[in-house]
Amino acid sequence: MWTLLVSFFLFALYCVAVVFAVRAAQTARTPQGAVGWVVFLLSAPLFGVPFYLFLGHHRFKGYRIARQESERVVEGIKTFADYSKPNPETMGINPRPFEALAHLPVSRGNGAELLIDGEATFQSILEAIDAAKNYVLIQFYIVRDDQLGRKVQDKLIDAAKRGVHVRFMTDAVGSYGLPSSYLETLRKAGVDVADPRQQRGPNFRFQLNYRNHRKTVIVDGETGFIGGHNIGIEYLGQSPRFGRWRDTHIRITGHVVRQLQLIFTEDWHWARNEDLIDQLDWAGSESDQDMNALLVATGPGDDTETGAMMFFAAIAEAKQRLWIASPYFVPDIDIMTALQHAALRGVDVRILVPDVIDHRLPWLAAFAYFDEIRDCGARVFRYTDGFMHQKAFVVDDTLAAVGTTNLDNRSFRLNFEAMALFFDPRAAEAVAAMLETDFASSYELTRPLPQQPIHIRFGAPLARLFAPIL
């Protein structure tokens, strides 16, 4: 009897594996991902089927509903005076690929201030919350119930008490350890909370592999923040494990704030099935800095590979310089080829990554790519003054970007991300100067993989096999 039941179970399991393998072949975002899933499912269905249930979905179809709800705002944004007329003297780069990916035009009348490391970032964010008059929109991938988390909580509660409408959102996976009491305290104080434990997505639809990785604050539709910091004391450099935490946020003003606000409304619609469009300010004001800027949001709800294509567009535009800072370097074939081609045509390609480990698998996988890119003339720098977590790049003297997107497959295809792009020499100069300082706190990698310690030499090629889902 048991033998018959086991045989039936194995037969049914293999049939399911075959169905999933066909689906993976039809819908996987890359050929490598399709091959990986098919081989895994058919060779080890006992493990492959449950893994595919949690990690194998490919599109957030329901997310398009939020996108449709925001279309009228997009059209309204496009009608702003001079909105689609960026200053041609300060562009120096073709914005059309980025505009197509963002479904928004580059605008002039924007401002930017780099916020280097946690103290500067959270001081500026908390000051903006204190100055809020109408509303605060706040979203972080990770929120911890520690000293910084409670400080942010207190500021949001204070804002709510003085009549500011505060909306708070976090990610179910990133903030898995956040106690319910933290959210309940916010609710009792009048803060509108999108509880990740109750929203659509990972908990109910086997979509654990998708995360909303955005870190956004918007105050009154006038001031915005985006970058690499989350809410936790480690981002202030107070972690015994990591020590100093090197990260970057950016404070933005002008029309680009409304673009960031638009992305928040889509995320909120997905989490709460609530349309915020008529409840927010979409007029705003311009910045005296008058920079050309664009907010590019990417994610698995898009029809195209927006994350990878944004990087590809930036790499293709580079003529003299391409400097990229990312905590992880696990590129797909297209981005790897583009980086190699840029280095071969004489572009100063530099990749800045941390020497300190936070997630061992992507850290290890990166070593499988370093030799290939260095052989084409690119340079790899490993940051040693603590852990580096920033996501930024600069192209020539014309384009600078700061946001949440890592240089890896997860950010390209599995996470909801956003980058603030500034097509302005002043922004490029500021980011380049910041990275110059970081290079001075790094060493250049010159030792090839065969000369690395044995755990890296043999572990890197194995870790690379998991690149499609890292």
Side-chain angles (χ1 to χ4, degrees), residues 301-353:
D302 300 331
D303 292 327
T304 57
E305 303 292 347
T306 47
M309 286 169 55
M310 180 196 66
F311 267 97
F312 189 95
I315 297 167
E317 286 289 338
K319 297 177 178 62
Q320 290 88 33
R321 171 175 63 186
L322 173 66
W323 296 351
I324 302 175
S326 172
Y328 315 114
F329 183 72
V330 191
D332 61 19
I333 291 177
D334 293 336
I335 296 301
M336 189 67 176
T337 301
L339 289 169
Q340 290 173 301
H341 186 262
L344 288 172
R345 65 176 187 264
V347 176
D348 177 13
V349 178
R350 302 187 193 183
I351 307 296
L352 178 66
V353 295

Side-chain angles (χ1 to χ4, degrees), residues 4 12 41 234 343 348 413 461:
L4 183 62
L41 285 163
E234 66 268 36
D348 177 13
R413 296 184 171 88

Side-chain angles (χ1 to χ4, degrees), residues 141-413:
Y141 174 62
I142 296 172
V143 178
R144 301 201 191 283
D145 186 18
D146 57 15
Q147 184 178 355
L148 179 60
R150 289 188 289 274
K151 188 172 185 178
V152 171
Q153 184 187 57
D154 290 342
K155 292 291 186 180
L156 296 177
I157 290 173
D158 289 344
K161 286 180 178 178
R162 63 176 190 269
V164 175
H165 194 153
V166 180
R167 295 178 175 90
F168 177 91
M169 179 165 45
T170 188
D171 182 79
V173 177
S175 295
Y176 178 78
L178 185 68
S180 299
S181 59
Y182 185 98
L183 302 178
E184 190 58 31
T185 299
L186 289 173
R187 277 199 202 90
K188 288 180 178 179
V191 174
D192 209 355
V193 176
D195 191 338
R197 299 168 181 84
Q198 298 176 0
Q199 68 195 43
R200 294 174 289 175
N203 290 337
F204 302 105
R205 298 183 64 183
F206 295 107
Q207 292 171 328
L208 288 174
N209 211 25
Y210 292 133
R211 294 95 187 259
N212 196 319
H213 196 236
R214 295 166 183 158
K215 299 98 171 172
T216 298
V217 179
I218 300 155
V219 175
D220 294 336
E222 293 281 356
T223 304
F225 300 86
I226 189 170
H229 289 94
N230 288 294
I231 298 178
I233 59 170
E234 66 268 36
Y235 294 86
L236 297 176
Q238 298 177 18
S239 166
R241 175 185 174 190
F242 295 109
R244 180 169 185 255
W245 190 282
R246 174 69 191 90
D247 218 329
T248 302
H249 243 67
I250 190 168
R251 179 182 182 271
I252 59 177
T253 53
H255 295 309
V256 72
V257 177
R258 265 73 74 194
Q259 295 184 355
L260 183 61
Q261 183 170 267
L262 177 65
I263 303 309
F264 183 95
T265 65
E266 293 181 352
D267 289 343
W268 188 268
H269 187 283
W270 169 255
R272 289 275 299 265
N273 197 27
E274 178 186 1
D275 187 357
L276 299 181
I277 289 173
D278 294 328
Q279 305 178 49
L280 304 178
D281 179 14
W282 299 98
S285 58
E286 295 187 350
S287 167
D288 293 338
Q289 288 181 284
D290 197 26
M291 292 184 180
N292 303 317
L294 176 67
L295 200 290
V296 180
T298 63
D302 300 331
D303 292 327
T304 57
E305 303 292 347
T306 47
M309 286 169 55
M310 180 196 66
F311 267 97
F312 189 95
I315 297 167
E317 286 289 338
K319 297 177 178 62
Q320 290 88 33
R321 171 175 63 186
L322 173 66
W323 296 351
I324 302 175
S326 172
Y328 315 114
F329 183 72
V330 191
D332 61 19
I333 291 177
D334 293 336
I335 296 301
M336 189 67 176
T337 301
L339 289 169
Q340 290 173 301
H341 186 262
L344 288 172
R345 65 176 187 264
V347 176
D348 177 13
V349 178
R350 302 187 193 183
I351 307 296
L352 178 66
V353 295
D355 200 47
V356 175
I357 303 171
D358 71 329
H359 297 297
R360 184 169 294 276
L361 204 58
W363 182 91
L364 198 57
F367 282 91
Y369 297 89
F370 289 150
D371 285 0
E372 293 180 38
I373 195 169
R374 288 172 53 249
D375 288 344
C376 293
R379 303 169 70 186
V380 176
F381 291 84
R382 302 188 63 80
Y383 188 81
T384 58
D385 187 17
F387 178 68
M388 192 213 74
H389 187 254
Q390 65 176 325
K391 305 93 166 53
F393 65 78
V394 60
V395 176
D396 299 339
D397 297 318
T398 53
L399 171 61
V402 175
T404 70
T405 309
N406 299 313
L407 198 63
D408 65 0
N409 280 284
R410 169 162 291 284
S411 277
F412 290 168
R413 296 184 171 88

Side-chain angles (χ1 to χ4, degrees), residues 25-211:
Q26 294 174 332
T27 62
R29 286 176 170 256
T30 64
Q32 300 93 334
V35 171
W37 278 118
V38 169
V39 172
F40 188 28
L41 285 163
L42 297 184
S43 62
L46 186 62
F47 301 101
V49 168
F51 264 85
Y52 188 80
L53 280 171
F54 284 95
L55 307 179
H57 295 266
H58 307 289
R59 301 286 180 188
F60 250 78
K61 293 182 179 179
Y63 210 86
R64 297 173 189 171
I65 299 172
R67 190 69 44 85
Q68 292 166 1
E69 292 289 337
S70 63
E71 285 179 359
R72 57 194 175 96
V73 176
V74 174
E75 293 305 315
I77 288 176
K78 290 179 180 178
T79 63
F80 286 159
D82 292 330
Y83 192 85
S84 57
K85 300 177 182 178
N87 187 346
E89 296 180 0
T90 58
M91 283 296 289
I93 199 168
N94 180 10
R96 292 182 63 184
F98 304 100
E99 291 177 323
L101 293 172
H103 302 289
L104 289 166
V106 172
S107 71
R108 60 185 301 176
N110 301 289
E113 177 190 359
L114 281 179
L115 301 171
I116 300 174
D117 292 334
E119 290 291 345
T121 294
F122 286 103
Q123 178 180 342
S124 187
I125 288 175
L126 294 177
E127 287 176 354
I129 293 173
D130 283 342
K133 296 180 175 61
N134 300 311
Y135 61 85
V136 173
L137 312 176
I138 181 167
Q139 170 188 29
F140 281 88
Y141 174 62
I142 296 172
V143 178
R144 301 201 191 283
D145 186 18
D146 57 15
Q147 184 178 355
L148 179 60
R150 289 188 289 274
K151 188 172 185 178
V152 171
Q153 184 187 57
D154 290 342
K155 292 291 186 180
L156 296 177
I157 290 173
D158 289 344
K161 286 180 178 178
R162 63 176 190 269
V164 175
H165 194 153
V166 180
R167 295 178 175 90
F168 177 91
M169 179 165 45
T170 188
D171 182 79
V173 177
S175 295
Y176 178 78
L178 185 68
S180 299
S181 59
Y182 185 98
L183 302 178
E184 190 58 31
T185 299
L186 289 173
R187 277 199 202 90
K188 288 180 178 179
V191 174
D192 209 355
V193 176
D195 191 338
R197 299 168 181 84
Q198 298 176 0
Q199 68 195 43
R200 294 174 289 175
N203 290 337
F204 302 105
R205 298 183 64 183
F206 295 107
Q207 292 171 328
L208 288 174
N209 211 25
Y210 292 133
R211 294 95 187 259

